[in-house]
Amino acid sequence: MDENKEKKTESLPSHGDWAELTQLCLINILSRLSLEDRWRGAMFVCKPWFQACKDPNLNSVIDFETQFDSTTESPRYWTPEFERKMDNMLRSVVLWSDGSLSTVRVRHCSDRSLALVAERSPNLQVLSIKSCQHVTDETMSKIAYGCPLLRELDISLCYQISHMSLALIGQHCANLKILRRNFTNRVDHSRQQRFIPREYLDACPQDGDSEAAAIGKFMLKLVQLELRFSDLTNKGLALISEGCVNLEHLDLTGCTNVTSRDISNASSNLKQLKTLKKPQFYFPTFESERYGHWQLYDERFQTGDFRI
């Protein structure tokens, strides 16, 4: 029995054997690992493994969305230290990708890393940068000019980005099909206050109609649009329905400034529409204020008749 165990041990490759694998073999092995596994473990095994992790074939995609979705939101994510960490990781991937970067799904990065994306990633097609406090119009203008192949954009909870960026993206990224521009719930901040800095919540843009005008005028090929908790009104919604006639999916959850009648009129122009998420309106009650919950009322009360 001891002999069999000894033979089995001898058959396993030693640490030195793994390090001496060819670059092609290493890349093949590492490609089977998740991005998180490569960053947390594989690249620290030895120098050859670290060099293999920098190969462009392994750095065409950086996607941490699953990790963020699977973990509990933390105040740590909103600190300068965490932002620097995300910036450093994104900058590394951009440099290692050698121009092949096609997908970026990160959160809590800043202009520091995104400017490099714009400069070095002409093949970028997907950009998701939710909850980025320090991404501005200046850098988004660089994205518009430097990443013309962009087809999917998520700038939810990015409050330093304005309608000017949307206009530029629409003008220079003709293939854009998906836009997510979601906000926090303005009526009930109780959930976000535990994590998001209050001053950042208070800085939420109040120009929903300006953004809607840019979308309706310049993003004519959109098939999916999310505007959760936007403050757009009937005017902005009408402009979107007139310009984005190819929309198939429209999410207006929490858009309390539009009524059922507004939505019905707008959707009549959208012949391709398959799914429409309408607002759900929340009104505080005595019990909700006491216990921190909200009572959900049907959206018919937003038609202008509040009589029960």
Side-chain angles (χ1 to χ4, degrees), residues 3-228:
E3 291 181 4
N4 291 335
K5 184 177 181 181
E6 188 174 327
K7 288 180 179 179
K8 184 177 181 181
T9 302
E10 289 177 354
S11 66
L12 292 174
S14 67
H15 175 81
D17 293 330
W18 281 103
E20 292 169 6
L21 288 172
T22 66
Q23 182 86 348
L24 188 62
C25 287
L26 279 175
I27 293 171
N28 185 282
I29 293 169
L30 295 172
S31 67
R32 302 168 192 271
L33 300 179
S34 68
L35 180 66
E36 185 177 14
D37 287 337
R38 293 204 302 271
W39 274 86
R40 288 189 172 184
M43 68 170 54
F44 300 108
V45 171
C46 57
K47 187 174 181 179
W49 281 51
F50 177 69
Q51 293 299 324
C53 285
K54 294 165 61 176
D55 189 274
N57 292 307
L58 297 177
N59 291 284
S60 62
V61 173
I62 177 170
D63 187 348
F64 284 113
E65 196 61 27
T66 302
Q67 284 75 16
F68 279 112
D69 283 340
S70 62
T71 58
T72 304
E73 181 76 19
S74 169
R76 180 175 67 92
Y77 294 161
W78 297 87
T79 62
E81 293 75 19
F82 190 80
E83 183 177 85
R84 280 195 295 271
K85 178 181 178 181
M86 295 306 301
D87 277 338
N88 289 338
M89 294 177 73
L90 181 52
R91 285 177 63 87
S92 294
V93 170
V94 172
L95 293 173
W96 297 343
S97 71
D98 193 27
S100 67
L101 188 63
S102 63
T103 299
V104 171
R105 296 188 190 275
V106 298
R107 300 186 191 183
H108 304 287
C109 66
S110 75
D111 281 350
R112 176 174 171 265
S113 57
L114 207 59
L116 189 64
V117 172
E119 180 184 336
R120 300 286 190 92
S121 307
N123 296 304
L124 190 69
Q125 296 184 39
V126 177
L127 179 62
S128 176
I129 50 170
K130 290 189 279 189
S131 303
C132 293
Q133 301 178 76
H134 301 116
V135 172
T136 64
D137 282 333
E138 181 181 358
T139 296
M140 289 307 297
S141 68
K142 296 177 182 177
I143 290 289
Y145 289 107
C147 307
L149 302 182
L150 202 64
R151 58 178 176 79
E152 180 178 337
L153 176 65
D154 190 339
I155 49 173
S156 301
L157 275 75
C158 295
Y159 291 167
Q160 291 200 59
I161 298 175
S162 74
H163 65 279
M164 293 185 290
S165 291
L166 294 175
L168 280 174
I169 292 288
Q171 287 174 285
H172 297 281
C173 304
N175 295 319
L176 193 70
K177 298 293 181 67
I178 299 173
L179 174 66
R180 297 182 178 93
R181 177 58 164 165
N182 300 316
F183 299 89
T184 53
N185 188 339
R186 287 184 174 85
V187 179
D188 181 10
H189 279 172
S190 59
R191 297 172 187 172
Q192 290 91 357
Q193 280 180 339
R194 291 179 295 166
F195 313 112
I196 305 176
R198 180 70 199 195
E199 60 272 17
Y200 189 65
L201 287 173
D202 292 340
C204 182
Q206 305 289 327
D207 57 352
D209 281 346
S210 297
E211 295 193 356
I215 293 169
K217 184 175 182 180
F218 298 112
M219 298 184 175
L220 308 183
K221 293 184 179 180
L222 284 182
V223 297
Q224 181 174 337
L225 176 61
E226 293 181 11
L227 295 171
R228 299 175 192 169

Side-chain angles (χ1 to χ4, degrees), residues 187-299:
V187 179
D188 181 10
H189 279 172
S190 59
R191 297 172 187 172
Q192 290 91 357
Q193 280 180 339
R194 291 179 295 166
F195 313 112
I196 305 176
R198 180 70 199 195
E199 60 272 17
Y200 189 65
L201 287 173
D202 292 340
C204 182
Q206 305 289 327
D207 57 352
D209 281 346
S210 297
E211 295 193 356
I215 293 169
K217 184 175 182 180
F218 298 112
M219 298 184 175
L220 308 183
K221 293 184 179 180
L222 284 182
V223 297
Q224 181 174 337
L225 176 61
E226 293 181 11
L227 295 171
R228 299 175 192 169
F229 298 103
S230 169
D231 66 352
L232 86 165
T233 67
N234 173 46
K235 177 183 177 181
L237 183 58
L239 291 172
I240 289 174
S241 67
E242 292 168 6
C244 304
V245 295
N246 296 310
L247 275 178
E248 298 178 6
H249 308 281
L250 177 60
D251 190 343
L252 298 173
T253 301
C255 296
T256 55
N257 292 331
V258 294
T259 67
S260 293
R261 187 177 295 111
D262 298 334
I263 295 171
S264 178
N265 292 337
S267 59
S268 64
N269 291 334
L270 304 175
K271 307 301 182 184
Q272 308 298 322
L273 200 61
K274 297 176 181 177
T275 58
L276 171 61
K277 293 185 179 180
K278 299 180 181 181
Q280 293 177 318
F281 300 96
Y282 295 83
F283 298 89
T285 64
F286 172 78
E287 290 298 316
S288 71
E289 292 174 0
R290 183 177 179 183
Y291 296 109
H293 298 291
W294 293 86
Q295 184 172 348
L296 174 62
Y297 283 78
D298 189 87
E299 64 175 282

